[in-house]
Structure formats: structure tokens, C-alpha cells
Amino acid sequence: MPSTLPTLFTRRSMGALALAAAALGAFSPVHAQQRVIHIVVPFGTGAVQDTVARAFNNELGTALNASAIVENRAGAGGTVGAAMVARAPADGNTLVLAAASHNIAGFLYNKLSYDPLKDFVGVANVGNAGYVLAVAGNMGVTSTADFIKEVKANPGKYNYASAGNGSATHLAMASFLAKAGLQMTHIPTKSTGEAVNEVLAGRVQAVISSSIGVIGFQDDARIKLLASTGQQRSPFLPKLPTVAESGLPGYAFDSWIGLLAPAGTPKAEVERINVAANKVLADPAIQERFKRLGVEPRMQSAEEFQKLLRTDWDAMGAVVKASGAKID
């Protein structure tokens, strides 16, 4: 009688192999793939959006059970990165960490491939960034009033740097100059960090930088912080007067920082990301990181943030009009 052992062995082996294959399949790369959320920063490294994005992206990813990665897509005052996100699928996987320059672009550029208001939806207001007027130490001025007097006496002699055409740092200074009746040459760079470095090196005489760009140079003789640009003194630089109280009444500029998604992103997805972002922003450790960056955390509903964007749209239109700036 022939043995049944080979048949039994074969059947048992095949069964075991099938179970093993199923187990391996459960841990295969396809099943192990995690959702990836792309946070596009429309400026280079050193820009305020870049440093803020990297201060909370890992925690946001964890809160969403995903991997949140930061991608720098700099160019044309933030419009290159914004255009990329406007064209992305409206599934919540591609966001832009925008700021005041996002709405500024709608008034500054004659031609845009997207509408800053209609082609995006506000997801989460992350924080508020203050700005600082700073000048090269070798310029020899110690106050906003002195700076205005010196530049007015020498029209066209001095330069100012920014993070690029159309950036908030560009328009903040352009509107300052227009209000004060001053003439300076604009030197655009790729980021706030580069703009500040030009002032530190003495090649450029002035910059209006986000607080993070200059907060570490308060005791550096190469640069002089003259005033904060907000309506009130900065909580991070309380001894620094505002521009309005130190030489140019009526001037004020600061910026929101927030996550935007392509228009048409499902409301449930917007709400999910908003809840996760607010949870992360409530963490004392994240708040401390933001404090070191000179950014005040903001926690709003998506609806509240959307209202802020509409209000800011009108405000930035006024800033661009006051500056007289326009880019083809």
C-alpha cells in the first residue's frame, strides 16, 4: 500500500506556506504604507514659514496618523509654491503654509495662474508673526525717526533687502517708505535669512524682517533693531517701540501664518486637520518652540480662519495700494 505521508506533508506544507504568505502580505510595503501629507512652504529655508512648519510638522503628522513632510517651493514671492498647491488634488494631502504674502500676491501681480482667495480654503490658523525694522550698524542711526531723517536727506542712496518680490518683507518696507515719503532701492533675495545676512554684512542698509530673523541679533553691533511693526509692542521684544510710536504714526504691519488647502477639499477633511492642528498648538512644548521663533500660536476653527482670510484680503489690498508696488 503506498504511503500517504508525502501527500499529507505536501498538503500541510502548502497550508503552512499559505498562512506564512498571508502573514507576510500583512506586513508588505503596500500594507505598511502610511499617508503622506505635504506641507508646501512657498519660500526658502530661513523664511518664517519654513521655521514654523518644521517646528510642528512631525507632531501634526502623528496627530493625523500620517507622515507630514515639509517641502520648500520658493520663487516669485511665494506664488510658485501656492500655484503648485492650487493645482493639487483636493484631498487634504497637499497643503501650503501661507502668510500675508499669499493675499498680497493677488494685488501685486498683474497675472496669476490662481486666485488666492477662491482657489484655496482656510484649514488652520497656526500663529501670528510680528516684524521688525532693522538697519545696518554702520549706518549710524539709533531710532526710526533718525532713520527716516537720514534716508530723506539722501534719496536713492540706500538699499533695503527682502525675501523676494511680493514677499511680506518686501511690501512691509515698500508701504513704510511710501508712508514716510522715502526712496530706497529694493534688493530682493531668496529668503528672510539671506536678506538679514545682507544687512549684517553691511551691503544693504535696512530690512523689515519677521521677528525670528533678527531676534537673535539684539546685541550684535552689526545690526540695529529700531522698532516692531505691529499695532502693539511685540511680547517677544517688549522694550522695542513700535514704528508708529517711534517716528511714523499710523503705520502697522504683521502677518498671520496658516495652513491652506486647495478649494474643493471636503469639509470633513478640513475639519479633521483643523482639530489635529489645534490639538498640537495647545501643547506647551509646541508653544515654547513658537515663542522662541517670535510667533504667537493661534487656535481657531476653520470657519473663523476663513473669515480672517477675507478680512486680511482687504487689508493687504490697502497695503499694496499704499506701497505703489506692482509686478507684471
Side-chain angles (χ1 to χ4, degrees), residues 256-270:
W256 54 269
I257 303 171
L259 292 168
L260 310 181
T265 300
K267 185 176 181 180
E269 186 62 22
V270 170

Side-chain angles (χ1 to χ4, degrees), residues 135 137 200 214 216-225:
V135 299
L200 287 166
V214 294
F217 299 108
Q218 297 178 66
D219 299 318
D220 194 317
R222 295 175 298 169
I223 192 169
K224 176 68 176 177
L225 311 191

Side-chain angles (χ1 to χ4, degrees), residues 39 52-62 66-70 289:
I39 300 176
V52 169
R54 297 179 191 281
F56 81 107
N57 68 297
N58 288 333
E59 288 78 5
L60 180 62
T62 299
S67 176
I69 61 174
V70 177
R289 287 182 203 171

Side-chain angles (χ1 to χ4, degrees), residues 200-280:
L200 287 166
R203 291 186 290 266
V204 171
Q205 287 71 48
V207 65
I208 287 184
S209 164
S210 55
S211 297
I212 182 179
V214 294
I215 202 167
F217 299 108
Q218 297 178 66
D219 299 318
D220 194 317
R222 295 175 298 169
I223 192 169
K224 176 68 176 177
L225 311 191
L226 297 183
S228 59
T229 66
Q231 294 185 3
Q232 299 177 342
R233 293 193 179 198
S234 166
F236 309 109
L237 296 163
K239 294 182 179 180
L240 205 62
T242 65
V243 168
E245 66 181 316
S246 61
L248 192 60
Y251 175 86
F253 184 92
D254 58 11
S255 174
W256 54 269
I257 303 171
L259 292 168
L260 310 181
T265 300
K267 185 176 181 180
E269 186 62 22
V270 170
E271 292 295 334
R272 198 169 76 86
I273 299 173
N274 176 270
V275 169
N278 285 338
K279 178 182 177 182
V280 170

Side-chain angles (χ1 to χ4, degrees), residues 13 70 115 150 164 167 309:
S13 298
V70 177
D115 186 302
E150 174 64 21
S167 66
L309 292 175

